[in-house]
Amino acid sequence: MSACKRLLSFVKHRNFWTPARRHVTTWSPVGAAFNAKAQRLNVFEKNVGLFGVPELSCPAGFQVATKTALKDTERLLENACSGPPGVETVQSFDHLSDGLCKVADLADFIKVAHPDPAFREAAEKTCIEIGTVVEKLNTNVELCQSLKKLLDNPDIAAQLDPDTRRVAELFMFDFEISGIHLDEKLRKEAVALHVKLLDLNNEFLVGSHLPNRIARSAIPEHLHLHFASEGSFVQVGGLHADSPNDLVREIAYRIYLYPNADLMECLEELLKCRYKLAKLVGYESYGHRALKGTMAKTPGSYVSLYNIEPSLYSPYLSLGACMEGLNNLFSQLYGVSLMSEHPAAGEVWSEDVRKLVNIINRAKLCFNVCLCLCVCPQAVVHETEGLLGYIYCDFFHRQDKPHQDCHFTIRGGRWCQETGQYQLPVVVLMLSLPHPTKSAPTLLTPGMMENLFHEMGHAMHSMLGRTRYQHVTGTRCATDFAEVPSILMEYFATDYRVISQFARHYETGQPLPETMVARLCESKKVCGAADTQLQIFYAVLDQIYHGKPQNCSTTDILKDMQQKFYGLPYTPNTAWQLRFSHLIGYGAKYYSYLMSRAVASMVWKQCFVQDPLSRDMGERYRREMLAHGGAKEPMLMVEGMLQRRPTIEDFVDALVSELNPNFETFIMDSES
């Protein structure tokens, strides 16, 4: 058999998806990688460990990695405390932080994402162990004094470059909010509260995502198929908000939000501990402590008409098409490309990881195509700067995987004095997309596509930052600024000039009609005011929970706030707050979504609405906002991008203007 015939035979018998229609849809390497069927990795390949960390080839490796990190911490702690004050002091602090974060951040992801319970349990123990050490370091008087000597000496402090000065002040801020100024007895009490909160945070976070169950006999038999089965029970693991069946939505709402006594007690205790800690270290409330250093500063300063059936859009939004669109967008804005890279055995956390053979290289494309059913690592490459970092794409649904879209920093970027090279950032994007079928690739709804763009905005924030210190790398910035890059990506995701570059039917290759994109954009405004009202309700509820104690239950507070700030009434015997997992990562900071949306709106309208593919604006955006991470005051970054300092009125106007309807689209849709 000739080489050509062998190749044709190979393609014929492999599980590649090919269009059934006359029009052939061709994809770039990135699009092809995400739209093709996957194959398993070579099981005989040497296991390199999760993320290439050799120790993490088995669960026990977490303990080894933890011991190594803690041993290095002791050495670095001695260096930080004994050296003379200067730039080296801050570098020692950052090196100390980097060593702990490399292990803790990786474990923080694995404890929720790995399919093996043994890995999850080992990672959770590591998080608690290192978290406890971090809290002790934040109240270490000798360590604080070494930094204080630097900042209190005007001659030495004046010699620090802006980034070093900023990072030194942020480290001192961590000491202050942890209670470094307290006497020894109270410092120990603060550490004990921090450690207790680590346990409570984890307990609430896990519990908030667990399904509730109800006897199968309690709901109509014809609805059983909408829920997971568990013997004589059905499990309800979400609100089923997208179900066209109103009874399914009602059942899901009432069962999923039914109060859990243990979780209620956990939340009540968590809020009490946060308040007690804030008061102990000198703040009026936990909200005041949490907002120190943000753009808001203090809690009191914030304030179906169209046919968009998802099934009509999904054929145009295959996962490969969307990834190709992101690749094209980043290439035009920043000169950055996404390239798939072969994952080594043990590098990723799913046992059913698959790959494609290197067929595309035969077409003279410089690309090693690989696809993991659950995980696909992407190298991020700049046209002149070279490799920028790695993004692991954990995109597909699997059992026991959280149903949430998240960005995780595994390793932060920083300049390494010891090697003379930049430590490349490593992040994970986690979605819960449907698997491809025998007849079609993974097809996204408009909402899924928008979420993909949103999370990729976080990833590029991490990739494009080039901070000197990892303490302020990428998304390690003020919470109310961290969501700006991700929300800004949502505007690109609904602009026809961007969408037209990649949205085409997976069978025919026909582009998504512009009228459908216009309807999609306008449909978001139909309930836009209600959604904004809902976000305000969430933000206010979060602030009340983290303000002064109210001497009533969290459910009573929810009822009261819902009546005051939201148009829909409270549903009896529900406890939505127990599913409010943002109370952990965004405690007292949920308002950040509204503030970030206002900033993103201003940036879009002033800088990108005329030309969303402008390289000049893309470079300015990277230079003024993305490059600094948290090394620059957030409002200064906004001011640099907008070339003006926005007022409170500007923030409000930006949110309100998002609700203005496009009457041209309304008329066009009515006529059609």
Side-chain angles (χ1 to χ4, degrees), residues 193-213:
L193 282 169
H194 274 293
V195 173
K196 183 177 181 180
L197 280 168
L198 288 175
D199 291 332
L200 289 170
N201 288 344
N202 186 66
E203 181 183 346
F204 183 79
L205 195 58
V206 171
S208 67
H209 293 294
L210 291 178
N212 278 342
R213 66 179 192 170

Side-chain angles (χ1 to χ4, degrees), residues 415-542:
W415 177 254
C416 298
Q417 291 287 118
E418 55 273 25
T419 64
Q421 295 181 327
Y422 196 79
Q423 175 175 289
L424 297 178
V426 177
V427 304
V428 173
L429 296 188
M430 187 168 74
L431 307 178
S432 191
L433 302 178
H435 293 281
T437 65
K438 292 182 179 179
S439 59
T442 292
L443 302 178
L444 278 59
T445 65
M448 291 175 182
M449 185 263 285
E450 189 172 291
N451 286 349
L452 171 62
F453 272 61
H454 178 103
E455 297 304 330
M456 194 59 78
H458 285 308
M460 294 308 292
H461 195 182
S462 296
M463 295 297 108
L464 292 172
R466 276 300 177 266
T467 54
R468 183 175 177 181
Y469 301 99
Q470 68 82 36
H471 190 65
V472 290
T473 185
T475 56
R476 290 175 182 166
C477 55
T479 308
D480 51 9
F481 181 82
E483 291 296 329
V484 172
S486 55
I487 293 175
L488 182 61
M489 282 296 295
E490 296 176 16
Y491 289 90
F492 289 98
T494 53
D495 189 284
Y496 183 71
R497 292 164 293 181
V498 176
I499 294 178
S500 62
Q501 293 198 330
F502 68 88
R504 52 191 189 276
H505 201 284
Y506 75 98
E507 290 184 312
T508 67
Q510 293 299 310
L512 179 65
E514 184 173 3
T515 54
M516 290 180 66
V517 178
R519 289 175 189 143
L520 175 63
C521 294
E522 289 308 298
S523 71
K524 297 174 67 175
K525 298 177 182 179
V526 173
C527 295
D531 184 62
T532 300
Q533 187 184 45
L534 182 63
Q535 293 299 312
I536 292 172
F537 161 53
Y538 290 165
V540 171
L541 182 66
D542 176 43

Side-chain angles (χ1 to χ4, degrees), residues 117-193:
F119 268 98
R120 295 200 300 268
E121 183 178 343
E124 185 175 328
K125 288 181 179 178
T126 289
C127 287
I128 293 174
E129 191 169 351
I130 290 188
T132 301
V133 170
V134 169
E135 297 307 338
K136 290 180 178 178
L137 288 175
N138 283 340
T139 54
N140 185 309
V141 175
E142 185 181 5
L143 186 62
C144 179
Q145 285 299 321
S146 68
L147 189 63
K148 190 173 176 58
K149 289 177 184 177
L150 169 65
L151 292 173
D152 286 353
N153 188 317
D155 294 331
I156 299 178
Q159 298 175 17
L160 300 178
D161 62 88
D163 283 2
T164 301
R165 178 65 179 261
R166 165 80 172 161
V167 171
E169 291 171 346
L170 288 173
F171 276 122
M172 182 57 72
F173 173 67
D174 289 339
F175 281 122
E176 291 170 352
I177 66 172
S178 297
I180 194 68
H181 55 286
L182 304 175
D183 61 39
E184 184 177 1
K185 180 181 177 181
L186 293 179
R187 282 200 307 275
K188 288 182 177 179
E189 185 179 345
V191 170
L193 282 169

Side-chain angles (χ1 to χ4, degrees), residues 242 244 304 306-315 445-446 516 520 523:
D242 293 330
S304 177
Y306 304 101
N307 187 359
I308 57 157
E309 171 58 39
S311 63
L312 298 177
Y313 288 82
S314 294
T445 65
M516 290 180 66
L520 175 63
S523 71

